[in-house]
C-alpha cells in the first residue's frame, strides 16, 4: 500500500516544538512531526509575527500539500514508525 493522509487533523506538540500529523500505510499508522523552524522557513508571514500555536497550525494548513509531499519522500526512503521533518527537508 502507499502512504495516504486520510485524516486532516493536526496538533501542536510542545515537547517537540513541532506540529504532529498522521499518515496511513494500509493498516499501519505513521506519525510525522514538522518542526516549527521548517514552518517558519516556508512561511514568510510567520517570520514577521509573534509565534503562537494558532499561527503554527494555520501555517501547516496553508502548506499542507508541500508538507505531505516531503513526508511521502521521507517515507519512500525508509519506512519507520515516525519521522521528524526539519527545515533541511524543504530545500
Amino acid at each position: 500500500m502507499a502512504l495516504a493522509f486520510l485524516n486532516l487533523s493536526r496538533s501542536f506538540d510542545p515537547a517537540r516544538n513541532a506540529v504532529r500529523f498522521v499518515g496511513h500505510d494500509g493498516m499501519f499508522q505513521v506519525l510525522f512531526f514538522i518542526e516549527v523552524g521548517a514552518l517558519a522557513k516556508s512561511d514568510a508571514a510567520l517570520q514577521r509575527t509573534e509565534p503562537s500555536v494558532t499561527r503554527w497550525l494555520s501555517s501547516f494548513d496553508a502548506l499542507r500539500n508541500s508538507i505531505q509531499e516531503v513526508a511521502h519522500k521521507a517515507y519512500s526512503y525508509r519506512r519507520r514508525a515516525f519521522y521528524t521533518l526539519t527545515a533541511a527537508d524543504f530545500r
Side-chain angles (χ1 to χ4, degrees):
M1 288 220 116
L3 183 66
F5 296 97
L6 307 173
N7 186 342
L8 296 179
S9 68
R10 76 286 184 269
S11 60
F12 184 75
D13 185 329
R16 292 181 182 264
N17 201 30
V19 174
R20 176 186 184 273
F21 61 106
V22 179
H24 297 275
D25 186 357
M27 62 185 238
F28 298 103
Q29 188 176 43
V30 184
L31 297 178
F32 289 91
F33 300 90
I34 179 168
E35 294 178 344
V36 295
L39 291 172
K41 178 182 175 185
S42 300
D43 187 341
L46 194 58
Q47 295 172 13
R48 296 186 305 269
T49 61
E50 185 65 32
S52 70
V53 171
T54 303
R55 288 196 173 107
W56 295 130
L57 295 176
S58 294
S59 178
F60 177 90
D61 292 340
L63 299 167
R64 184 182 299 270
N65 290 337
S66 62
I67 292 167
Q68 288 177 347
E69 287 176 17
V70 171
H72 271 284
K73 186 175 179 183
Y75 186 73
S76 71
Y77 290 136
R78 183 169 171 225
R79 297 186 182 212
R80 297 184 280 179
F82 75 92
Y83 297 81
T84 301
L85 306 177
T86 67
D89 294 311
F90 294 85
R91 296 178 206 187

